[in-house]
Amino acid sequence: MKFIQHWKAVVATSALTAFPSLASAEANLASDDFVGISFWLISMALVAATVFFFIERDRVSNKWKTSLTVSGLVTLVAAVHYFYMRDVWVSTGETPTVYRYIDWLITVPLLMVEFFLILSAITKVPAGVFWRLLVGTTVMLVFGYLGEAGYMNVTLGFVIGTVAWFYVLYEIFLGEAGRINAENASPAVQSAFKMMRNIVTFGWAIYPLGYILGYMMGSVDSSTLNIIYNLADVLNKIAFGLIIWHVAVTESEA
Ligand SMILES: *C/C=C(C)/C=C/C=C(C)/C=C/C1=C(C)CCCC1(C)C
């Protein structure tokens, strides 16, 4: 018990104090740099969310703990990337594409695995569900990056990435994961599953739209695009984690 309390305090304080020092202070944030301010705000919200998920882990029953751990890892990894992205933006005014993709490559498969984890808390789920969600999201991101970074034809990279996204949507709506939810889950889990599914459909659609409008057509400027991506991450990472936290607490107290 003592050890656990100690561990929590270490995580909380190192999260709050160590992250800012990871970012080099080459440039100062200007008071009218709203994109930079949004990077800064979201980084702080991600740090707070991380501490929250790790501490709240103690409140839920054993089978729900992994889900909260993963929620906290998603916001932790994103918080660290946000400090670097903010730095790139503030000091160069450029879009930190490579850091975004590295962040996505870790956080997006983890977010997808949450579907497997919340179903695993209530019933036995075949490992195939886990792998399909993991591989689907990884293919989506790798081909998106290959297109955006110029290693392959932009349109082809986009099309393959989009097909992979539709594949994970199929899995959670009509595939095995969707079926397991419909057949076995309690009302609380079903409602969380539905909200998470809507986030993966509508919240996630922001990124391929940004790819088309910002990158392929060049009709949205990079400031707007970065603000939109930053706000999207609040929904897709923090709110998504809060939905999981809510169902974990509800089911643990039931
Ligand atoms: C926390 C970050 C999240 C949830 C990022 C999600 C990113 C996507 C859903 C990206 C999707 C893309 C496609 C569907 C097609 C190819 C281009 C991408 C990678 C932007």
Side-chain angles (χ1 to χ4, degrees):
M1 244 358 243
K2 239 207 132 69
F3 168 74
I4 303 221
Q5 277 159 10
H6 179 65
W7 178 85
K8 279 195 308 196
V10 169
V11 170
T13 40
S14 51
L16 288 168
T17 55
F19 288 171
S21 66
L22 289 174
S24 63
E26 275 169 20
N28 283 317
L29 183 58
S31 57
D32 62 350
D33 178 0
F34 294 107
V35 182
I37 292 171
S38 78
F39 271 114
W40 185 260
L41 279 171
I42 314 296
S43 339
M44 286 309 170
L46 287 164
V47 170
T50 304
V51 175
F52 178 77
F53 291 134
F54 284 157
I55 289 177
E56 288 290 299
R57 197 178 170 277
D58 272 7
R59 236 180 104 184
V60 301
S61 57
N62 277 336
K63 55 185 187 176
W64 285 99
K65 286 194 192 300
T66 313
S67 305
L68 286 195
T69 304
V70 172
S71 291
L73 288 177
V74 166
T75 51
L76 172 74
V77 169
V80 176
H81 281 102
Y82 260 83
F83 278 102
Y84 285 95
M85 292 198 290
R86 168 197 147 257
D87 233 35
V88 171
W89 178 266
V90 170
S91 55
T92 68
E94 282 180 10
T95 297
T97 307
V98 69
Y99 290 115
R100 277 225 196 261
Y101 272 95
I102 296 171
D103 172 71
W104 292 356
L105 207 51
I106 300 171
T107 57
V108 173
L110 285 176
L111 287 168
M112 215 61 219
V113 162
E114 291 279 27
F115 284 93
F116 171 81
L117 290 176
I118 74 162
L119 294 178
S120 297
I122 50 166
T123 186
K124 183 125 190 59
V125 185
V129 173
F130 173 90
W131 289 111
R132 288 198 293 274
L133 296 173
L134 194 76
V135 171
T137 38
T138 308
V139 169
M140 170 183 91
L141 297 168
V142 167
F143 281 92
Y145 183 72
L146 292 178
E148 191 156 354
Y151 293 106
M152 75 185 283
N153 179 279
V154 190
T155 312
L156 186 62
F158 181 79
V159 169
I160 298 175
T162 303
V163 169
W165 176 42
F166 286 160
Y167 175 71
V168 298
L169 286 174
Y170 171 82
E171 176 66 33
I172 53 179
F173 277 92
L174 302 165
E176 204 172 7
R179 266 203 315 278
I180 293 171
N181 173 59
E183 286 163 12
N184 303 285
S186 66
V189 172
Q190 294 221 14
S191 114
F193 197 93
K194 261 191 213 140
M195 280 191 272
M196 289 159 64
R197 206 152 69 173
N198 285 336
I199 287 185
V200 172
T201 312
F202 301 107
W204 285 27
I206 293 167
Y207 308 94
L209 279 176
Y211 193 99
I212 297 174
L213 296 174
Y215 185 67
M216 290 165 82
M217 292 167 57
S219 48
V220 177
D221 65 90
S222 67
S223 299
T224 313
L225 208 58
N226 274 292
I227 289 201
I228 292 174
Y229 278 179
N230 291 357
L231 292 176
D233 281 352
V234 176
L235 172 71
N236 296 328
K237 295 188 167 74
I238 300 178
F240 192 89
L242 286 173
I243 293 169
I244 292 159
W245 165 78
H246 182 256
V247 70
V249 170
T250 310
E251 290 287 303
S252 300
E253 286 168 358

